[in-house]
Amino acid sequence: MYFKVITETEFFLSMRYVLLIFLTLFSGACNDPHLSLKELNQKLIQISNIEDKYLAKKAADNLWHTLVNNNRIPYTSDSSVIFLYKGDVERVSWNGDFNNWGSNTLIKFEGTQLGNSDIWFYKHTFPSNARLDYKININNIEWVLDPENPFQQWSGFGPNSELRMPDWQEDTIVNSSVNIPKGNISNPITMRSNSLGYDVNFWVYIPYNYESTLQHNVIYVTDGDEYINDDLGSMITVLDNLHFQGKIEPTVAVFISPLDPKNQDLNRRMDEMANNQKFISFFIGELIPRVESGYKVSKKGIDRAILGTSLGGLTATYFGFTRPDIFQKIGIQSPAYWYRDEIFDIVKASNITNTDIFMSVGTIGDNTIDARNMKNLFERKNLRFNYIEVNEGHSWGAWRSQIDDILIQFFGTH
């Protein structure tokens, strides 16, 4: 009988050949676009246990291409998500609404390197209908969009990648249609405010069915430059769609910008929206009379709304509860009550009864606790309000999809 003695090099080459056969079969299994969470976890474990760097990279690449080709990055299934990144780096983390963009050190979304490959991953769970903004941090230095995720949501600081859990559904009311009549949005109007001591820009939206013989509803919107931006609030599109669908009465909208008209890098919102008496004096003594003199809008508080998000939500609450004669409809999105917590005392001391309130907040990385505390205060005062929580963060992705609910509640036709 003849036995061939093989060298150590030949042995490893033969084993690599066997493993390559395995990887060929493994690759075929990876090509399933319906890869289950259990199967994916098994493949991650298998790749982690491959000691040969070449084979580990080969197996990881096969899995990666399958996920990319089937648009499965980040990978989601029910309430589970696996964030993934591919690159020759030293450290990867995912930061977003879910950990206050990395400032919450108790929630670390640190990636784990997949064995000897160049793939990094992190596993987590969220509600199955969650939608969240995030970015990837490379080596504690560079913040990047997820290169394999086609979904993005803009913020006031630019685009973020968007995690869409399986049961989240996009609100089509924010999508523009070329086949419907459009309202008219003015160019920015600059007016000098004696109350504030500086110039202010605002825009006025007129619906397509505006009639000169009617006294129209009117909504005043803080952070108006972002609400009218199609990448952020998309409020003009929502107004057009609702008017065309006959879901709201003809409504005029006034969008006020906190940016200095002469220097767009100067944002005054931190002062203007801090329960600022000068800011409300500007509205009541200057802006509202200017609008009412130029447009057919009702002068009744019941037909006039104030809307804002974050600090604008604080401002809307302050306006509505200090001057209920002026604003009897209050739209509050993710209110930043922490910035001026005396707002709770202001609401407690008020005697209003005829105000119509909408308030919303996210459950993940948003001002949830304060919003719930205010909700409880509204309940104790027997106020009329609608309160919703969504499994999202402090993001325009959440706020823009609520604008139709706010407008229908305030100015609905039924």
Side-chain angles (χ1 to χ4, degrees):
M1 184 177 292
Y2 173 73
F3 296 96
K4 180 182 179 182
V5 179
I6 64 174
T7 66
E8 183 178 353
T9 299
E10 289 174 324
F11 172 77
F12 282 111
L13 286 174
S14 64
M15 290 303 298
R16 178 172 286 190
Y17 176 74
V18 171
L19 285 171
L20 280 173
I21 295 175
F22 162 76
L23 289 176
T24 301
L25 298 174
F26 179 84
S27 175
C30 276
N31 287 328
D32 181 5
H34 306 293
L35 189 68
S36 70
L37 178 64
K38 181 179 179 181
E39 291 169 332
L40 177 57
N41 278 318
Q42 288 174 341
K43 296 183 191 308
L44 293 176
I45 293 172
Q46 290 170 348
I47 295 172
S48 295
N49 291 330
I50 300 175
E51 295 182 2
D52 186 289
K53 291 184 178 181
Y54 172 80
L55 296 174
K57 186 177 186 306
K58 191 75 173 176
D61 286 347
N62 287 335
L63 177 60
W64 180 262
H65 291 313
T66 294
L67 294 172
V68 169
N69 292 339
N70 291 287
N71 298 317
R72 299 302 303 274
I73 297 178
Y75 179 94
T76 61
S77 176
D78 297 325
S79 60
S80 296
V81 59
I82 302 179
F83 292 100
L84 296 124
Y85 177 78
K86 191 175 191 299
D88 184 14
V89 298
E90 296 180 357
R91 178 185 177 275
V92 178
S93 64
W94 287 263
N95 297 307
D97 294 319
F98 36 77
N99 64 351
N100 291 326
W101 296 93
S103 64
N104 186 344
T105 57
L106 298 177
I107 309 176
K108 292 182 178 294
F109 279 63
E110 295 282 345
T112 298
Q113 190 169 4
L114 181 57
N116 287 313
S117 76
D118 60 350
I119 292 177
W120 298 73
F121 68 94
Y122 179 82
K123 301 178 183 180
H124 203 72
T125 59
F126 294 110
S128 64
N129 64 345
R131 191 218 60 84
L132 298 161
D133 294 10
Y134 72 96
K135 274 192 170 81
I136 301 175
N137 184 271
I138 308 299
N139 296 332
N140 274 336
I141 299 173
E142 184 181 8
W143 291 70
V144 299
L145 296 170
D146 191 332
E148 303 302 337
N149 183 353
F151 300 114
Q152 295 181 6
Q153 172 57 53
W154 279 70
S155 72
F157 301 98
N160 296 315
S161 291
E162 186 178 49
L163 170 64
R164 297 180 173 186
M165 295 299 286
D167 292 334
W168 177 81
Q169 295 183 346
E170 184 178 12
D171 192 342
T172 58
I173 199 70
V174 302
N175 297 330
S176 181
S177 173
V178 297
N179 299 319
I180 67 171
K182 302 291 198 301
N184 178 65
I185 181 74
S186 72
N187 292 322
I189 302 168
T190 303
M191 68 176 295
R192 181 70 181 179
S193 169
N194 293 325
S195 298
L196 296 170
Y198 50 72
D199 291 345
V200 177
N201 269 356
F202 66 96
W203 297 259
V204 179
Y205 166 88
I206 303 298
Y208 81 93
N209 51 356
Y210 176 89
E211 296 183 21
S212 60
T213 58
L214 294 181
Q215 295 296 307
H216 296 79
N217 303 308
V218 59
I219 183 167
Y220 290 82
V221 186
T222 56
D223 286 315
D225 54 310
E226 296 195 355
Y227 270 95
I228 65 174
N229 189 318
D230 288 339
D231 291 323
L232 301 173
S234 300
M235 189 164 174
I236 303 303
T237 296
V238 175
L239 282 161
D240 285 340
N241 288 337
L242 292 179
H243 282 125
F244 174 71
Q245 295 169 10
K247 292 184 177 180
I248 60 172
E249 298 172 351
T251 299
V252 172
V254 182
F255 300 92
I256 303 93
S257 173
L259 305 181
D260 184 339
K262 297 178 180 177
N263 179 10
Q264 297 288 294
D265 292 330
L266 177 59
N267 194 327
R268 301 157 168 156
R269 67 193 307 270
M270 302 298 286
D271 293 325
E272 289 181 348
M273 301 185 194
N275 295 349
N276 189 334
Q277 183 58 45
K278 292 181 179 180
F279 196 45
I280 196 170
S281 294
F282 159 67
F283 270 74
I284 296 173
E286 299 172 318
L287 180 61
I288 292 176
R290 171 80 174 265
V291 171
E292 290 178 349
S293 67
Y295 304 90
K296 290 291 185 178
V297 296
S298 172
K299 297 183 180 181
K300 299 177 181 178
I302 194 61
D303 298 325
R304 189 186 296 120
I306 180 72
L307 169 64
T309 185
S310 193
L311 288 177
L314 167 66
T315 293
T317 309
Y318 177 68
F319 279 23
F321 281 87
T322 58
R323 292 303 303 265
D325 54 321
I326 303 298
F327 295 104
Q328 292 177 23
K329 298 183 186 297
I330 311 172
I332 307 165
Q333 296 185 280
S334 297
Y337 292 145
W338 57 268
Y339 193 61
R340 290 291 184 271
D341 60 7
E342 68 269 16
I343 191 64
F344 290 98
D345 293 329
I346 292 172
V347 173
K348 287 177 185 178
S350 70
N351 295 316
I352 66 173
T353 57
N354 60 344
T355 296
D356 186 8
I357 303 170
F358 176 99
M359 182 163 65
S360 67
V361 73
T363 62
I364 304 170
D366 202 0
N367 301 316
T368 315
I369 294 176
D370 278 349
R372 289 173 179 172
N373 289 338
M374 187 62 80
K375 168 184 175 286
N376 293 336
L377 182 53
F378 290 166
E379 289 175 338
R380 292 197 298 270
K381 295 180 72 67
N382 294 315
L383 296 176
R384 181 162 58 100
F385 70 96
N386 181 27
Y387 174 84
I388 67 170
E389 291 187 359
V390 294
N391 291 321
E392 303 196 35
H394 199 76
S395 165
W396 277 110
W399 304 326
R400 70 205 302 252
S401 63
Q402 300 161 8
I403 293 173
D404 60 328
D405 300 315
I406 298 170
L407 292 168
I408 291 172
Q409 176 177 324
F410 291 167
F411 307 123
T413 53
H414 302 291

